[in-house]
Amino acid sequence: MLISTKGRYALRIMIDLAENSGDGYVPLKEMAARQDISEKYLESILKVLVQNNLLAGLRGKGGGYRLTKAPQLYTVGSILRLTEGSLAPVTCLERGSQQCARMADCPTLPVWRKLDELVNNYLDSVTLADLMATGGVGNDYVI
């Protein structure tokens, strides 16, 4: 599993909004400058997050973006699954994938299932609140 820039940037933006929004909206330009992400690329990421109700957007003066719920209610897993599509380590475990003809006799399938379970359980246990200000779980995350 390799997390793309889209997934990594989405996490950075969600943390940025959690730390900087207070009760208001944060302008795209400010987030882009703080996170060193191009505004155009950031717009495409924000669009997905707004369409899936993770963020609310407001146009015009005083507009920008804000979280739709408290930081502790967002998990890293839910954000990454939204932006990445799947966190499955192998294609045969992806939701909606065609069933592999060898699945019943595959000696490696238990390894991939356990890895998939571990990754998803871990990422679903980490929230935006965990990653805010202090640098997150163990204070050693890098996105």
Side-chain angles (χ1 to χ4, degrees):
M1 167 185 66
L2 184 64
I3 305 298
S4 70
T5 56
K6 185 176 184 180
R8 295 191 320 266
Y9 289 0
L11 280 175
R12 284 177 32 194
I13 289 305
M14 296 292 285
I15 295 164
D16 186 282
L17 284 168
E19 292 176 338
N20 294 293
S21 64
D23 290 327
Y25 288 84
V26 179
L28 179 134
K29 279 185 183 242
E30 289 180 16
M31 288 184 287
R34 270 194 302 270
Q35 296 301 321
D36 195 26
I37 301 171
S38 83
E39 290 181 33
K40 187 170 179 90
Y41 191 43
L42 182 53
E43 281 177 344
S44 70
I45 295 169
L46 291 169
K47 181 179 180 181
V48 171
L49 298 173
V50 169
Q51 287 174 338
N52 288 278
N53 299 315
L54 272 68
L55 300 178
L58 181 66
R59 293 178 183 243
K61 185 175 177 159
Y65 296 87
R66 67 171 177 78
L67 300 179
T68 57
K69 50 191 173 185
Q72 63 270 20
L73 298 176
Y74 293 93
T75 67
V76 171
S78 65
I79 296 165
L80 289 178
R81 276 188 291 279
L82 178 64
T83 56
E84 297 298 314
S86 173
L87 299 176
V90 289
T91 307
C92 63
L93 293 179
E94 289 181 352
R95 193 176 276 158
S97 70
Q98 193 131 4
Q99 188 122 20
C100 174
R102 304 181 89 184
M103 210 167 197
D105 298 321
C106 180
T108 62
L109 186 58
V111 170
W112 304 133
R113 281 191 173 137
K114 184 65 176 178
L115 178 60
D116 188 47
E117 179 185 337
L118 289 168
V119 167
N120 280 285
N121 287 342
Y122 175 69
L123 293 176
D124 287 338
S125 75
V126 180
T127 68
L128 285 184
D130 296 328
L131 299 177
M132 289 173 60
T134 62
V137 180
N139 295 332
D140 61 353
Y141 83 102
V142 176
I143 298 177

